[in-house]
Amino acid sequence: MPFERNEHMKKAIMLLLGVCIFCMAGCDKEEEDQGISLSAAEQEAYIAQIDGVMDTFYWSYDKDSLVFHSRTVSEDTAENARLFAASEDGGYPLKSAAGSQSVVATAELLHYNGDMAGEVNCIFVANELAGVYYMGGYDNGAYSLRERNPFLANGGVRTYENWGGMNTVYKEYGGSLPVDGFVAKNREGVVTSLQDGRVELYHISGKVISRMRTLRFSGGFEAISAAFVTEEAEEYLVVLLADMAGEETEEAARAAKVVFYDSNFQIKEELSLENGGSTALASEEGKVFLFTGQAMETLERGDEGWTATRRETLRHKVSQCHITDLDGDGTAEYLMTDGMDLYMYHHSEMGLLKLWSTHLGVESLYGALYSGDLNGDGVKEVYICDATGTAIRYILTERGLRSSNEDIQYGQAIYPCDWNGDGIDDYWNITEDIDRTGSLFLSQPASQRG
């Protein structure tokens, strides 16, 4: 019996110690981040300051998710350096309040179109806003409110853009190319441009761009997208056709078939689309990608011709897709637009991984997507036009793609590609004058540079 009493006593003591340790841990946590009770007037004063900073940086937030806490401002340590830098970049030097008692308001931070960006943290010391940042991005790290579109997933980018302006080792030439540019280019320097339902083929002859051929379609069919596909030594054109004689009002709903041409631009095969809804084509490594609704279908050629082998879901439609390796690491980036936002993906056997996107949600982008290294730093920039026909340049940074249009004039369009096959990107430039005239800018060999 004494033995049993001793064992029961030991268990009781251990249980009591466990409760004490738990309580001590709980007390420490509460002292660090406690719930707080505020009067209606106090809440109103804090919310007014939150609304002000949100308006300043063109953000929104979910007021239903707003919570107030009592917290000690983080200490000035190396571990917290990013947090302080994010706040200071927004104009609030939170480091000066390190160690102070504060009221912290947290809420879901929202983009212009309602997409969630992360959790905003507003830190108040002595009732005044002393710091603000948000936790988001692929690493759930601290970001400045100036950082609108950080990477959503880790794409393992090898190197970033060192933008210092357009290269000066170009010489201007003439030629003929439609003002809205082209949609695809092959290895021989032939580009395809879609004009009033036709496919026009252009190439460089000498040092001038000229039209070499036009593909027309009978029976009420018109081209709405095109791409070049490469299979070993063969490269040929693929065109998405819509039945413009149909009753549907949208091109996508009338998409009727995909036509495959050989290297001589003769029809080789046709693939009928039973349900329509297709909007765009792209190609990589012998595969053709067909965008239908909010999905990407993979088409591959087998013994019985081209068939769909895979379907992957997106959360947006696609009007244009451009596949390129921006940073030269051997992994292609899939750039897409739905006319409202720009998206960047990686594609693997595991599926599509969205690395980055804008979050506008309004019609703002027009025409095809392009990429080219026009400053010679080894990293390609991304180009697309807005609704006015003015180029928007996006450069690759550690925080995602960022627009850089300081040197682009209103109405100027830039369409890069390696026209002459020397391994250096050239570009077709549309001027901002009323006639929207164009010029070819070709890179010059080192021996000819002044």
Side-chain angles (χ1 to χ4, degrees), residues 227-450:
F228 283 104
V229 59
T230 302
E231 282 189 333
E232 297 179 351
E234 188 177 10
E235 189 170 33
Y236 47 90
L237 180 66
V238 186
V239 180
L240 175 62
L241 296 182
D243 183 0
M244 306 308 288
E247 296 181 357
E248 299 288 347
T249 57
E250 294 186 6
E251 288 182 352
R254 297 182 300 213
K257 57 184 176 180
V258 179
V259 180
F260 298 84
Y261 291 81
D262 62 19
S263 56
N264 295 316
F265 301 107
Q266 301 297 315
I267 294 178
K268 184 175 183 178
E269 185 179 341
E270 295 185 2
L271 176 64
S272 296
L273 303 176
E274 296 180 359
N275 300 320
S278 299
T279 53
L281 293 171
S283 176
E284 185 197 21
E285 296 181 345
K287 298 177 182 178
V288 174
F289 303 107
L290 176 66
F291 295 90
T292 303
Q294 294 187 344
M296 184 179 83
E297 294 186 1
T298 300
L299 307 180
E300 297 185 74
R301 185 162 69 172
D303 295 337
E304 298 181 358
W306 287 87
T307 58
T309 59
R310 187 178 185 182
R311 182 181 177 87
E312 298 167 78
T313 302
L314 296 162
R315 298 190 67 181
H316 57 86
K317 294 182 179 180
V318 176
S319 59
Q320 300 285 339
C321 177
H322 175 67
I323 302 174
T324 187
D325 182 2
L326 292 178
D327 61 342
D329 67 350
T331 300
E333 280 72 47
Y334 284 52
L335 299 163
M336 304 179 193
T337 182
D338 56 2
M340 295 184 289
D341 286 291
L342 179 62
Y343 306 86
M344 183 168 73
Y345 290 85
H346 275 168
H347 188 223
S348 68
E349 291 301 319
M350 300 297 292
L352 286 163
L353 175 66
K354 186 164 75 171
L355 305 179
W356 175 91
S357 77
T358 58
H359 301 271
L360 296 174
V362 294
E363 293 290 339
S364 55
L365 302 176
Y366 171 80
L369 280 158
Y370 307 87
S371 64
D373 179 14
L374 300 185
N375 68 333
D377 69 345
V379 180
K380 294 182 179 180
E381 309 93 54
V382 178
Y383 294 85
I384 190 171
C385 288
D386 64 17
T388 70
T390 303
I392 305 174
R393 178 194 295 116
Y394 288 92
I395 61 176
L396 189 63
T397 75
E398 294 182 1
R399 299 296 179 93
L401 294 180
R402 178 176 63 82
S403 61
S404 179
N405 277 39
E406 296 81 3
D407 60 328
I408 296 177
Q409 304 298 314
Y410 178 84
Q412 180 185 4
I414 299 171
Y415 307 131
C417 73
D418 181 9
W419 282 99
N420 55 12
D422 65 355
I424 302 175
D425 287 318
D426 315 295
Y427 65 99
W428 179 258
N429 183 75
I430 300 293
T431 57
E432 68 274 19
D433 61 40
I434 192 169
D435 296 325
R436 300 280 285 164
T437 54
S439 298
L440 174 64
F441 285 79
L442 287 179
S443 61
Q444 298 299 295
S447 59
Q448 298 181 18
R449 299 174 189 173

Side-chain angles (χ1 to χ4, degrees), residues 109-121:
L109 185 67
L110 303 177
H111 288 282
Y112 177 85
N113 65 343
D115 289 346
M116 185 174 172
E119 181 186 74
V120 65
N121 286 248

Side-chain angles (χ1 to χ4, degrees), residues 1-52:
M1 293 293 292
F3 177 79
E4 290 182 1
R5 283 199 298 270
N6 289 339
E7 287 299 308
H8 286 307
M9 186 173 293
K10 287 180 181 179
K11 290 181 180 179
I13 292 172
M14 293 299 294
L15 179 61
L16 181 61
L17 286 173
V19 170
C20 290
I21 291 171
F22 176 81
C23 290
M24 290 171 63
C27 290
D28 288 344
K29 180 173 177 55
E30 287 179 1
E31 288 176 4
E32 179 62 26
D33 190 351
Q34 299 176 358
I36 188 171
S37 178
L38 299 172
S39 68
E42 288 173 324
Q43 288 194 41
E44 186 176 342
Y46 286 133
I47 289 173
Q49 294 183 67
I50 296 170
D51 290 346

Side-chain angles (χ1 to χ4, degrees), residues 43-44 47-48 50-52 54-55 60-68 106-110 120:
Q43 288 194 41
E44 186 176 342
I47 289 173
I50 296 170
D51 290 346
M54 294 292 104
D55 290 344
S60 182
Y61 69 101
D62 181 2
K63 290 192 176 181
D64 291 337
S65 68
L66 182 62
V67 178
F68 291 95
T106 61
E108 292 181 1
L109 185 67
L110 303 177
V120 65

Side-chain angles (χ1 to χ4, degrees), residues 66-326:
L66 182 62
V67 178
F68 291 95
H69 310 268
S70 175
R71 187 185 303 171
T72 302
V73 177
S74 300
E75 295 293 339
D76 181 11
T77 64
E79 183 181 0
N80 296 322
R82 179 172 170 180
L83 180 155
F84 288 124
S87 183
E88 185 157 4
D89 186 61
Y92 292 88
L94 181 60
K95 187 186 295 186
S96 62
S100 302
Q101 287 301 116
S102 70
V103 173
V104 179
T106 61
E108 292 181 1
L109 185 67
L110 303 177
H111 288 282
Y112 177 85
N113 65 343
D115 289 346
M116 185 174 172
E119 181 186 74
V120 65
N121 286 248
C122 296
I123 298 93
F124 299 90
V125 176
N127 301 321
E128 296 295 328
L129 186 62
V132 60
Y133 58 90
Y134 72 97
M135 303 299 293
Y138 78 91
D139 57 353
N140 196 33
Y143 288 87
S144 164
L145 292 185
R146 297 182 188 277
E147 297 285 350
R148 304 206 66 82
N149 302 299
F151 281 115
L152 301 172
N154 188 358
V157 177
R158 187 182 71 174
T159 187
Y160 300 98
E161 180 70 45
N162 182 23
W163 184 255
M166 298 279 280
N167 219 329
T168 59
V169 293
Y170 290 103
K171 188 172 182 180
E172 184 176 355
Y173 299 92
S176 173
L177 189 70
V179 68
D180 54 357
F182 57 92
V183 296
K185 171 188 172 293
N186 69 5
R187 292 178 300 189
E188 304 302 320
V190 176
V191 302
T192 62
S193 179
L194 305 183
Q195 302 297 315
D196 297 324
R198 309 182 306 272
V199 173
E200 294 187 348
L201 305 173
Y202 292 79
H203 71 154
I204 186 169
S205 178
K207 293 183 178 179
V208 176
I209 295 177
S210 60
R211 183 169 56 190
M212 58 178 286
R213 189 166 180 178
T214 299
L215 303 179
R216 292 181 172 84
F217 310 96
S218 59
F221 290 105
E222 295 187 2
I224 60 174
S225 185
F228 283 104
V229 59
T230 302
E231 282 189 333
E232 297 179 351
E234 188 177 10
E235 189 170 33
Y236 47 90
L237 180 66
V238 186
V239 180
L240 175 62
L241 296 182
D243 183 0
M244 306 308 288
E247 296 181 357
E248 299 288 347
T249 57
E250 294 186 6
E251 288 182 352
R254 297 182 300 213
K257 57 184 176 180
V258 179
V259 180
F260 298 84
Y261 291 81
D262 62 19
S263 56
N264 295 316
F265 301 107
Q266 301 297 315
I267 294 178
K268 184 175 183 178
E269 185 179 341
E270 295 185 2
L271 176 64
S272 296
L273 303 176
E274 296 180 359
N275 300 320
S278 299
T279 53
L281 293 171
S283 176
E284 185 197 21
E285 296 181 345
K287 298 177 182 178
V288 174
F289 303 107
L290 176 66
F291 295 90
T292 303
Q294 294 187 344
M296 184 179 83
E297 294 186 1
T298 300
L299 307 180
E300 297 185 74
R301 185 162 69 172
D303 295 337
E304 298 181 358
W306 287 87
T307 58
T309 59
R310 187 178 185 182
R311 182 181 177 87
E312 298 167 78
T313 302
L314 296 162
R315 298 190 67 181
H316 57 86
K317 294 182 179 180
V318 176
S319 59
Q320 300 285 339
C321 177
H322 175 67
I323 302 174
T324 187
D325 182 2
L326 292 178

